[in-house]
Amino acid sequence: MVAEETSFHITLAFHHTIVDGWSCGRLIVDLLALYNAKLTRTDVGLAAVPGTVHRDFVRAEQEIRTSEAAAAHWQEQADVPALLPDRGRFTGAADAVADVRFLLPPDFMQRLRDTARDLGVPLKALALGAHARALAEWKGRDRDVTTGVVLNTRPDQPGSDLVVGLYLNTVPVRFRSLAGSWADLARTALAAERNATPYRAFPLAEIESRIGRPAFDTTFNFTHFHIYQDIEALPALKARSWWVRGKPSFPFRVDFEVDSSEAGGSRVVVAFDPALVEPDDARCYARAFEAALTAAASDPHGPAALDTDDVVTAVGTA
């Protein structure tokens, strides 16, 4: 006799100020692991969560926020003209309810990974350099492009990935020059993130309080939530589909998602506030970013030039 298959839905709703993307995955995977253990009458085997992660995170933030070296670093990174025309209009939270997106097929992702490996940089650095070049093309700027970049601020200790909370900070990263090759831009991106690491816990609110304005008007977020692959090891359960909805608090946010559970593959999602960015304008950026990624993967040592006529991209949703 074949057992009847039962389906169910799990819904989690929360504000991003208390749970980050990795923590959301941790919650879902652990919850399903507990349910799987109940169904199979086995020991769940969840790893012990270290008790000092959040305390160490708070201590690091408290200690760094009085650092003049950190304040000077972020002041220098943010000291460029705005990319969007009227930065003063979004001193409060933006309402990024629209988006444009494009897929990153497996063969293309492999080319990007191979290119990054050959250059000796992380894939994130290659993508961030392409993002900066796309911003420059989009807004007609040949130097001094600053974008917000989401950094992981979990303490560097064993088991910190098991803790649920908000362990991210979005900080300004400045590209003084957009000249050179795609390899140069990737290495510039990598150096910028390494230089930011000692100051990564410095709160964005403190940065903006000191400079008296928003530190950036576009953001870049690179994610690879491979934690969801752990569900495949649960014998009594199978995830059929995912549905994710969120609203970024920035006017223009670019998410480079590796192996997105919702999309069933890798993709780029550009979320924007239509009151501040026209949909056609957002699509122009998306075409520039796809062209930048294509060029970087095809000829990383060639000049960082774009040809948006070679790409077909970005189906918008509202």
Side-chain angles (χ1 to χ4, degrees):
M1 185 175 182
V2 179
E4 183 179 353
E5 187 176 83
T6 302
S7 63
F8 59 92
H9 298 271
I10 295 178
T11 301
L12 296 181
F14 51 84
H15 197 285
H16 199 6
T17 55
I18 59 172
V19 177
D20 58 35
W22 179 268
S23 295
C24 177
R26 181 84 269 164
L27 278 170
I28 292 174
V29 170
D30 286 357
L31 181 61
L32 291 178
L34 289 166
Y35 187 51
N36 178 82
K38 184 73 172 178
L39 292 175
T40 59
R41 299 181 181 181
T42 58
D43 179 25
V44 66
L46 293 181
V49 177
T52 61
V53 172
H54 191 68
R55 183 188 65 195
D56 292 344
F57 169 79
V58 172
R59 179 189 294 121
E61 184 178 284
Q62 290 174 337
E63 291 176 352
I64 197 67
R65 70 186 310 152
T66 59
S67 166
E68 291 306 315
H73 175 83
W74 297 125
Q75 168 77 41
E76 188 274 334
Q77 293 294 300
D79 190 22
V80 300
L83 285 169
L84 299 183
D86 188 1
R87 180 153 37 190
R89 290 173 61 195
F90 56 88
T91 53
D95 196 18
V97 295
D99 68 63
V100 294
R101 56 188 67 186
F102 59 90
L103 295 177
L104 302 167
D107 58 339
F108 182 62
M109 280 296 296
Q110 190 58 52
R111 287 169 56 200
L112 287 172
R113 288 189 177 97
D114 291 344
T115 298
R117 184 196 63 236
D118 292 344
L119 295 177
V121 301
L123 176 58
K124 179 182 179 180
L126 185 65
L128 176 56
H131 163 68
R133 182 64 186 85
L135 289 177
E137 178 77 11
W138 183 41
K139 292 303 176 184
R141 188 173 294 182
D142 59 4
R143 60 178 292 106
D144 281 335
V145 166
T146 288
T147 185
V149 177
V150 180
L151 299 183
N152 175 18
T153 56
R154 288 175 185 265
D156 296 326
Q157 60 180 264
S160 66
D161 61 313
L162 302 174
V163 180
V164 172
L166 178 64
Y167 299 100
L168 299 175
N169 194 18
T170 307
V171 296
V173 170
R174 180 176 182 175
F175 287 75
R176 291 184 174 274
S177 173
L178 283 305
S181 66
W182 297 107
D184 293 330
L185 287 178
R187 292 180 182 122
T188 296
L190 177 59
E193 187 159 352
R194 284 177 172 171
N195 291 339
T197 297
Y199 314 121
R200 63 182 178 171
F202 197 84
L204 176 59
E206 185 72 21
I207 297 172
E208 296 187 336
S209 175
R210 287 178 177 246
I211 65 178
R213 57 169 174 78
F216 45 79
D217 42 26
T218 68
T219 63
F220 177 83
N221 188 28
F222 180 97
T223 59
H224 184 195
F225 296 141
H226 52 82
I227 186 173
Y228 289 103
Q229 296 172 4
D230 292 352
I231 296 174
E232 298 173 5
L234 303 178
L237 297 172
K238 180 180 180 181
R240 290 179 175 174
S241 62
W242 300 88
W243 183 84
V244 181
R245 289 295 180 271
K247 187 180 72 171
S249 297
F250 298 107
F252 193 88
R253 170 166 166 152
V254 180
D255 282 282
F256 189 107
E257 302 175 356
V258 179
D259 297 334
S260 164
S261 58
E262 183 185 18
S266 299
R267 67 178 180 179
V268 169
V269 178
V270 182
F272 62 96
D273 186 337
L276 298 170
V277 179
E278 293 291 334
D280 285 346
D281 202 22
R283 282 189 281 270
C284 284
Y285 162 81
R287 284 193 294 271
F289 188 31
E290 188 173 6
L293 291 170
T294 301
S298 301
D299 186 14
H301 297 289
L306 298 182
D307 185 357
T308 57
D309 293 335
D310 287 344
V311 300
V312 179
T313 189
V315 178
T317 63

